[in-house]
């Protein structure tokens, strides 16, 4: 006998996370973890101290040349990171 009021577990968990105010911090964590995959290991090696504040991702770079290169593709990088997470988590990136 099939119950008619069943929901996918994913939907129930997402609703719970929203109600408890945990969806945004979880998405921020997922975005920071996705950084290495989106930019690749070569670029990730030169980055440190990633954090998000007010929908802005702050990234510290050890290479000024790489910083300039990433500044040129910043909007694409924002789009790719948000797509990887599946939510609008950041609107800008500050490279230091």
């Amino acid at each position: 006998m099939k119950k008619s009021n069943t929901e996918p577990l994913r939907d129930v968990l997402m609703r719970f996370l929203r109600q408890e105010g945990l969806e945004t911090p979880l998405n921020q964590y997922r975005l920071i973890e996705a950084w290495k995959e989106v930019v690749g290991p070569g670029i990730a090696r030169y980055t440190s101290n990633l954090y998000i504040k007010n929908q802005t991702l702050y990234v510290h770079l050890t290479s000024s040349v790489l910083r300039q290169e990433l500044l040129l593709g910043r909007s694409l990088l924002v789009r790719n990171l948000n797509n990887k997470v599946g939510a609008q988590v950041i609107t800008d990136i500050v490279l230091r």
Side-chain angles (χ1 to χ4, degrees):
M1 186 182 216
K2 186 176 180 181
K3 293 186 178 184
S4 62
N5 63 347
T6 60
E7 292 182 64
L9 184 58
R10 175 185 169 95
D11 294 345
V12 173
L13 287 173
M14 290 306 292
R15 189 171 59 244
F16 172 76
L17 291 172
R18 264 188 224 106
Q19 288 173 349
E20 297 300 317
L22 299 173
E23 184 179 30
T24 300
L26 178 63
N27 284 337
Q28 289 176 348
Y29 173 79
R30 290 174 57 211
L31 187 129
I32 289 172
E33 289 297 309
W35 172 262
K36 291 178 185 175
E37 188 176 334
V38 171
V39 299
I43 294 174
R45 182 180 9 206
Y46 294 99
T47 62
S48 65
N49 198 18
L50 280 76
Y51 63 94
I52 298 173
K53 185 175 181 180
N54 298 329
Q55 291 189 320
T56 302
L57 175 64
Y58 292 87
V59 181
H60 290 267
L61 295 164
T62 58
S63 169
S64 60
V65 175
L66 182 58
R67 180 180 162 275
Q68 283 300 114
E69 196 69 30
L70 291 177
L71 281 172
L72 295 175
R74 184 170 39 188
S75 60
L76 180 62
L77 197 53
V78 168
R79 193 172 336 121
N80 288 343
L81 286 165
N82 284 327
N83 287 341
K84 184 69 176 171
V85 174
Q88 180 72 29
V89 179
I90 60 171
T91 56
D92 196 15
I93 298 177
V94 174
L95 302 165
R96 297 182 174 173

